[in-house]
Amino acid sequence: MTGEAASRGRIDKRQAILAAAFEVFANRGYAQACVQEIADAAGVAKPTVYNHLTDKETLYRHAVEAAADLVGAECRTAVAGLRDTDRNPEPALRDSAYRLLRICNGERSHALRSLTFAQLASFPDLANLVQDRTSGQLAETLADRLARLSLAGRLRPCDPVVAAEQLLALLTGPLEVRSRLGTRKVSAAELKSIANAAVDTFLSAYGGGTSAPEMA
Amino acid sequence: MTGEAASRGRIDKRQAILAAAFEVFANRGYAQACVQEIADAAGVAKPTVYNHLTDKETLYRHAVEAAADLVGAECRTAVAGLRDTDRNPEPALRDSAYRLLRICNGERSHALRSLTFAQLASFPDLANLVQDRTSGQLAETLADRLARLSLAGRLRPCDPVVAAEQLLALLTGPLEVRSRLGTRKVSAAELKSIANAAVDTFLSAYGGGTSAPEMA
Amino acid sequence: MTGEAASRGRIDKRQAILAAAFEVFANRGYAQACVQEIADAAGVAKPTVYNHLTDKETLYRHAVEAAADLVGAECRTAVAGLRDTDRNPEPALRDSAYRLLRICNGERSHALRSLTFAQLASFPDLANLVQDRTSGQLAETLADRLARLSLAGRLRPCDPVVAAEQLLALLTGPLEVRSRLGTRKVSAAELKSIANAAVDTFLSAYGGGTSAPEMA
Amino acid sequence: MTGEAASRGRIDKRQAILAAAFEVFANRGYAQACVQEIADAAGVAKPTVYNHLTDKETLYRHAVEAAADLVGAECRTAVAGLRDTDRNPEPALRDSAYRLLRICNGERSHALRSLTFAQLASFPDLANLVQDRTSGQLAETLADRLARLSLAGRLRPCDPVVAAEQLLALLTGPLEVRSRLGTRKVSAAELKSIANAAVDTFLSAYGGGTSAPEMA
DNA sequence: TATGAATGAGCATTCATTCAT
DNA sequence: AATGAATGAATGCTCATTCAT
């Protein structure tokens, strides 16, 4: 009991530090963020931060990695509805598209994107890691789903990797513009409109499988 | 004469400083870049930098602005071929798409994108300015062209703003993934493949106006 | 029994800490040595060091004092052979001289010397304590022996304090130079040569007692 | 003029920093000395110290080196009187001995000795450098003089290196004891007594060449 | 008693910025 | 106009020391 409570406390503190770190890094950027501020935000003393995470760099890497994992998981959840190949995929596509946009429009996503770009030069490996665990995995998952839909005759035969890539591009590209890189709030209605426009275009190109064969 | 030569020298020095500044900022990021390094790269003494540009911030703003203007101009040139409404727009689209990708894949573009994201928190206004002068203007120009093509019956009736937005998204989104945010070289062949896939999808959705049947 | 064993364990731990402390202080110097490293070297946790020895300063004092006592005891042993006033003292002198040099050339002696000098400013009293318990006591012991030898007519009448002082100087001075303050190994042969040269000079000045009285 | 004055100012500042640094290092030791204190003592701002001397380590090395050169030069001056081989060397020996003791008893010498020992572990090369430029060069110079005196028949034939080494040992050894490693003031009278005792013993061993009977 | 965890205080170093020349 | 030199303000990191268990 005591042991569990203690280690719980330890873990909580570490989590608190990582969360505070991501928050501060997101607001200030890597270089401008100072460890003292992170410590303050986490409610601990500066050396405690160092005890748990060695370095400003290490702190940054762990904070970013954790955020990337969170976003990645959210994204995978968002496209879960596409697993069903028994139905016309259009409603599921519209739903997933909107869910993805909500995630991408979230603060965490914007911050992650921002930080990743910002530190491209300093931590290129971290950029790759983040991309893999977020858009990379998402694209793969999506490609899998699209491939099955295509096989099931719900989508025209196509390269599922390209299709997934383009669907995502049709979602995130316009969002980036409309949100002005994340500096502007985008209403739910606008998100829906982006999502639907994306799905429309996507289906124009990839829709219409066997049920209404375009004589592929 | 002397006066002109002198002011010419002055201008040259200012340009040299701005160029060096963009280079250094691009390589190190805003905070990590130090004025001394920029001065060294420009071949002048540190106070000279301050004489010309007041501030690190001012220096940054001017350097970024100049780069944005350059990229913006390049982009506008790239889509010049779309002005012609007398022909099937497909070849021009493929050409413009490829040209745009080459620009977006260039070092300057990547650096600009990187820096803009990196300093979102510190200089949000600069982010907007850059976006306006690059993708913003480009999107507008493109929307104009597409509107005329649509009017001319070369494209299906559509919202030209959305169409432009999506075409750009289909180009830049996949490029970003493939180039791993700019850290990886992308071959000309791959660029062409991205461009063609984008145009294919775009034309599936927006192509086929009245006068120019796809069967062409 | 248990009590004894326990207190034995306690004492052992304390000894281990002191030994580790001297080792670490010797290698790093007072300020550069950190308590954590000492704790690690002693195989205990940091607070345990504090439990036993209060302070970094206290720890240092005890460690140095213990080392000084060890060296002091060794030195006294080394000159035991001079107690004999019945024989020509030359062989005993040569033997004692060599033994002293071996001690002074030992790691512990060098470390002690180094640390004492290093912390002159911070702990001047400790410097005096160390000097008293090592060269001080040795000089006194030696002076006693020389006085008796002189009285016994084995040495010319002289001020035994000065004589002892000079004999020690003739030993340690050259050793310090040859060993480059302890950074260089000095061979046994070289030690012997130093010892003999010292005794030669010493006997030239102080040798020749009653057997060939110079009629002081 | 202006240039000279300016560079003069620069040099003066550098000298001031080095002098202040030696002072502070001597009083506090390397690790305990903080650069701010040195800057204050030199009457400059901290970064100025770094501008001139790069590093705390570099600062230390230059300060110590400069002090070593000063002491070395003083020592060489002190034994200048021994160059004369036409006279009985005894008065010159007594004079040089006393002069050397005054130097070795000076604050700078003590500090140099202290610091050298203190940082043996951190900067062993510096220890050697200091020893070479002070006692090393002195011993050589002295050996030269003694060799010539010996050749001139003013001293008994001997190994001049050993003789020099022993003479210096007879001076510095007792001084170190009497001054308690430099923590205690030693009166001029006591210095003279040490010097004379050293010369007495030295001459007992090495004096009495062929041409200059001791009875002189 | 022994220890994992936490902290307050301190220090080297860097950098944007400003004078004096 | 251009520069060498100087500085005030920060910031990463370390370490002796103390709690709570």
Side-chain angles (χ1 to χ4, degrees):
Chain A
M1 283 297 176
T2 314
E4 191 194 311
S7 93
R8 205 31 118 92
R10 184 120 229 269
I11 287 173
D12 286 356
K13 206 154 270 188
R14 187 191 165 95
Q15 297 302 345
I17 292 172
L18 285 177
F22 187 75
E23 173 96 13
V24 173
F25 281 131
N27 288 335
R28 299 258 186 285
Y30 179 74
Q32 291 86 347
C34 80
V35 177
Q36 180 64 64
E37 193 181 353
I38 293 172
D40 291 350
V44 301
K46 209 181 350 173
T48 302
V49 175
Y50 283 92
N51 281 343
H52 282 266
L53 288 137
T54 323
D55 236 13
K56 190 185 184 184
E57 182 178 333
T58 306
L59 175 57
Y60 179 73
R61 298 189 107 103
H62 280 85
V64 166
E65 215 167 310
D69 286 338
L70 280 178
V71 170
E74 285 180 318
C75 287
R76 257 166 284 131
T77 305
V79 297
L82 290 175
R83 233 182 312 226
D84 186 354
T85 56
D86 296 341
R87 261 187 284 280
N88 177 356
E90 188 179 330
L93 272 173
R94 295 199 187 275
D95 180 59
S96 292
Y98 176 63
R99 284 163 180 265
L100 282 175
L101 280 183
R102 291 195 40 139
I103 294 165
C104 291
N105 193 42
E107 272 196 35
R108 206 193 336 263
S109 289
H110 282 310
L112 201 49
R113 201 161 165 65
S114 210
L115 289 173
T116 303
F117 267 109
Q119 298 312 120
L120 263 182
S122 328
F123 312 126
D125 57 310
L126 189 58
N128 285 334
L129 183 151
V130 169
Q131 219 190 18
D132 286 344
R133 298 214 193 160
T134 55
S135 36
Q137 287 215 348
L138 175 59
E140 267 186 53
T141 306
L142 201 53
D144 286 349
R145 303 275 188 276
L146 298 181
R148 297 181 122 211
L149 287 167
S150 190
L151 266 182
R154 300 281 173 194
L155 294 177
R156 184 185 305 178
C158 64
D159 180 337
V161 168
V162 171
E165 198 173 78
Q166 289 192 332
L167 176 52
L168 290 177
L170 286 169
L171 291 168
T172 55
L175 174 62
E176 187 171 300
V177 173
R178 306 287 183 89
S179 72
R180 315 233 66 173
L181 311 188
T183 58
R184 189 178 147 271
K185 289 280 163 223
V186 181
S187 70
E190 202 169 357
L191 289 184
K192 277 207 175 108
S193 138
I194 296 173
N196 285 327
V199 172
D200 290 344
T201 295
F202 178 77
L203 287 178
S204 299
Y206 297 101
T210 342
S211 46
E214 256 167 332
M215 196 28 257
Chain B
M1 284 294 177
T2 316
E4 190 194 313
S7 92
R8 199 35 111 91
R10 182 122 230 275
I11 287 173
D12 287 354
K13 205 159 269 188
R14 186 191 165 96
Q15 296 304 339
I17 292 172
L18 285 176
F22 187 75
E23 172 98 12
V24 172
F25 282 132
N27 288 336
R28 299 256 187 287
Y30 178 74
Q32 290 86 351
C34 75
V35 177
Q36 180 64 66
E37 193 181 354
I38 292 171
D40 291 351
V44 302
K46 221 188 328 181
T48 303
V49 175
Y50 283 90
N51 284 342
H52 283 266
L53 287 137
T54 324
D55 234 21
K56 191 187 184 183
E57 183 178 331
T58 307
L59 175 56
Y60 179 71
R61 299 190 106 102
H62 281 85
V64 166
E65 215 166 311
D69 287 338
L70 279 178
V71 170
E74 284 180 317
C75 287
R76 257 167 284 132
T77 306
V79 297
L82 290 174
R83 233 180 314 225
D84 185 353
T85 56
D86 297 339
R87 261 188 285 279
N88 177 354
E90 186 177 333
L93 272 173
R94 295 198 187 275
D95 181 60
S96 293
Y98 176 62
R99 284 163 180 267
L100 283 175
L101 282 183
R102 290 196 40 141
I103 294 164
C104 291
N105 194 41
E107 273 196 34
R108 205 193 336 264
S109 290
H110 282 310
L112 201 49
R113 198 163 166 67
S114 220
L115 288 173
T116 304
F117 267 109
Q119 299 313 120
L120 264 181
S122 329
F123 311 127
D125 58 311
L126 188 58
N128 285 335
L129 182 151
V130 170
Q131 221 190 16
D132 286 345
R133 299 214 193 159
T134 55
S135 36
Q137 288 214 350
L138 175 60
E140 267 185 54
T141 307
L142 200 54
D144 287 349
R145 305 271 189 278
L146 297 181
R148 299 180 119 211
L149 286 167
S150 190
L151 267 182
R154 299 281 174 192
L155 294 178
R156 186 184 303 176
C158 64
D159 179 338
V161 168
V162 170
E165 196 173 80
Q166 289 192 331
L167 176 53
L168 290 177
L170 287 169
L171 292 168
T172 54
L175 175 62
E176 186 171 300
V177 173
R178 306 288 183 90
S179 72
R180 313 233 66 169
L181 311 188
T183 58
R184 189 177 147 272
K185 290 276 162 229
V186 181
S187 70
E190 200 169 356
L191 290 183
K192 275 203 174 112
S193 139
I194 296 172
N196 285 326
V199 173
D200 289 344
T201 295
F202 178 79
L203 287 178
S204 298
Y206 298 100
T210 40
S211 60
E214 294 235 59
M215 83 151 237
Chain C
M1 283 294 180
T2 314
E4 190 192 314
S7 92
R8 198 36 109 94
R10 184 125 229 276
I11 288 174
D12 287 355
K13 205 159 269 187
R14 186 190 166 95
Q15 295 305 338
I17 292 172
L18 285 175
F22 187 75
E23 174 96 12
V24 172
F25 281 132
N27 287 335
R28 300 257 186 285
Y30 178 73
Q32 290 86 349
C34 75
V35 176
Q36 181 64 65
E37 193 181 354
I38 292 171
D40 289 351
V44 301
K46 220 189 330 180
T48 303
V49 174
Y50 283 91
N51 283 342
H52 282 268
L53 286 137
T54 323
D55 235 17
K56 191 185 184 183
E57 183 177 330
T58 307
L59 175 56
Y60 178 72
R61 299 189 108 102
H62 280 85
V64 166
E65 214 166 310
D69 287 338
L70 279 178
V71 170
E74 285 180 317
C75 286
R76 257 167 283 129
T77 306
V79 297
L82 289 174
R83 232 182 311 226
D84 185 354
T85 55
D86 296 341
R87 260 188 286 280
N88 177 356
E90 187 177 334
L93 272 173
R94 295 197 187 275
D95 180 61
S96 293
Y98 176 62
R99 285 162 179 265
L100 283 176
L101 281 183
R102 290 195 41 143
I103 295 165
C104 291
N105 195 41
E107 273 196 34
R108 201 189 344 259
S109 290
H110 282 310
L112 201 50
R113 201 162 165 68
S114 218
L115 288 173
T116 303
F117 266 109
Q119 299 312 120
L120 263 181
S122 329
F123 312 126
D125 58 311
L126 188 57
N128 285 335
L129 182 152
V130 169
Q131 218 189 21
D132 286 344
R133 298 215 194 158
T134 56
S135 36
Q137 285 214 351
L138 174 60
E140 266 185 54
T141 306
L142 199 56
D144 286 349
R145 305 273 188 277
L146 297 181
R148 296 179 123 212
L149 286 167
S150 190
L151 267 182
R154 298 284 172 190
L155 294 178
R156 185 185 303 178
C158 64
D159 179 337
V161 168
V162 171
E165 199 173 76
Q166 289 193 332
L167 177 53
L168 290 177
L170 287 169
L171 291 168
T172 56
L175 174 61
E176 187 171 298
V177 173
R178 305 288 183 91
S179 72
R180 314 233 65 169
L181 310 188
T183 58
R184 188 177 148 274
K185 291 275 162 231
V186 180
S187 70
E190 202 170 354
L191 288 184
K192 277 206 173 109
S193 136
I194 297 173
N196 285 327
V199 172
D200 289 344
T201 294
F202 178 77
L203 287 178
S204 296
Y206 296 100
T210 339
S211 46
E214 253 167 332
M215 195 25 256
Chain D
M1 281 297 178
T2 313
E4 190 193 314
S7 92
R8 204 31 117 91
R10 183 119 232 270
I11 288 174
D12 286 355
K13 207 155 268 188
R14 187 191 164 95
Q15 296 302 343
I17 292 172
L18 285 176
F22 187 76
E23 174 97 12
V24 172
F25 282 131
N27 288 336
R28 298 257 186 287
Y30 178 74
Q32 291 87 348
C34 77
V35 176
Q36 181 63 64
E37 192 181 353
I38 292 172
D40 291 350
V44 300
K46 216 186 336 178
T48 303
V49 176
Y50 284 91
N51 281 344
H52 282 266
L53 287 136
T54 322
D55 236 15
K56 190 183 183 185
E57 183 178 331
T58 307
L59 175 57
Y60 178 73
R61 297 189 108 102
H62 280 84
V64 165
E65 215 166 309
D69 286 336
L70 279 178
V71 170
E74 285 181 318
C75 286
R76 257 166 284 129
T77 306
V79 297
L82 290 174
R83 232 180 314 226
D84 185 354
T85 56
D86 295 341
R87 263 188 282 282
N88 179 355
E90 185 177 335
L93 272 173
R94 296 198 185 275
D95 180 60
S96 293
Y98 175 63
R99 283 161 179 268
L100 282 176
L101 282 183
R102 291 196 40 141
I103 294 165
C104 292
N105 194 41
E107 271 196 35
R108 202 188 345 257
S109 289
H110 282 310
L112 201 50
R113 201 164 165 65
S114 213
L115 288 173
T116 304
F117 267 109
Q119 298 312 119
L120 262 183
S122 327
F123 311 125
D125 57 311
L126 190 57
N128 285 335
L129 182 151
V130 169
Q131 219 190 19
D132 285 344
R133 298 214 194 159
T134 55
S135 36
Q137 287 214 351
L138 175 60
E140 266 186 53
T141 307
L142 200 55
D144 286 349
R145 304 272 188 279
L146 298 180
R148 298 181 121 208
L149 287 167
S150 190
L151 267 182
R154 298 282 173 191
L155 294 178
R156 185 183 304 175
C158 64
D159 179 337
V161 168
V162 171
E165 198 174 78
Q166 289 192 333
L167 176 53
L168 290 177
L170 287 168
L171 291 168
T172 55
L175 174 62
E176 187 172 299
V177 174
R178 305 289 183 90
S179 71
R180 315 234 66 172
L181 310 188
T183 58
R184 189 177 146 271
K185 291 276 163 226
V186 181
S187 69
E190 201 169 355
L191 289 184
K192 278 208 173 107
S193 137
I194 296 172
N196 285 327
V199 173
D200 289 344
T201 295
F202 178 77
L203 287 178
S204 298
Y206 297 100
T210 40
S211 60
E214 294 235 58
M215 95 162 223

